[in-house]
Amino acid sequence: QVQLVESGGGLVQPGGSLRLSCAASGSIFSINTMGWYRQAPGKERELVATLTSGGITKYGDSVKGRFTISRDNAKNTAFLQMNSLKPEDTGVYYCTHGITTMSGFRYDYWGQGTQVTVSS
């Protein structure tokens, strides 16, 4: 059993910052890619950022230069530092971890989502 728990969302003014966290727990052998996606009302889920176990990052075009993804492998946790937030960053943010379990099962697990609202 593997579980991802997100935290750090909330309401922030334009230009402000937030830091999201996503901690995985359970029967984990290894984690490859950690990532963040978001979904705004009426829109499809889109890539925010991903980070492989080898340190390779990928960012969505709309967040490049403003958001930074990082990870703490010892704590099975991914972070998303979001700076210079804009109203269009508003949405539900989901984390995902590519996890291999102790039993050898490989699967992309998802968090429950955390709301980020950027508004004055």
Side-chain angles (χ1 to χ4, degrees):
Q1 190 83 5
V2 173
Q3 190 174 26
L4 268 61
V5 178
E6 304 175 15
S7 60
L11 173 64
V12 64
Q13 292 186 342
S17 298
L18 280 176
R19 188 185 193 221
L20 306 183
S21 299
C22 176
S25 61
S27 180
I28 298 170
F29 176 73
S30 65
I31 303 177
N32 186 6
T33 300
M34 296 182 180
W36 293 91
Y37 291 74
R38 68 185 181 189
Q39 188 165 19
K43 294 187 177 182
E44 293 186 353
R45 190 173 296 189
E46 64 173 353
L47 168 72
V48 176
T50 59
L51 172 59
T52 70
S53 57
I56 298 172
T57 57
K58 181 178 180 179
Y59 292 93
D61 289 340
S62 61
V63 307
K64 286 179 181 177
R66 299 188 297 123
F67 291 11
T68 302
I69 188 171
S70 60
R71 60 193 284 169
D72 183 335
N73 292 322
K75 297 181 179 180
N76 294 329
T77 300
F79 303 98
L80 184 68
Q81 178 67 42
M82 304 185 293
N83 299 328
S84 302
L85 282 161
K86 305 175 181 179
E88 50 264 44
D89 294 317
T90 294
V92 179
Y93 284 67
Y94 298 90
C95 69
T96 179
H97 288 9
I99 293 174
T100 300
T101 67
M102 290 295 188
S103 60
F105 183 66
R106 168 69 172 81
Y107 189 72
D108 290 332
Y109 291 87
W110 290 81
Q112 79 284 359
T114 185
Q115 177 70 44
V116 172
T117 303
V118 184
S119 175
S120 55

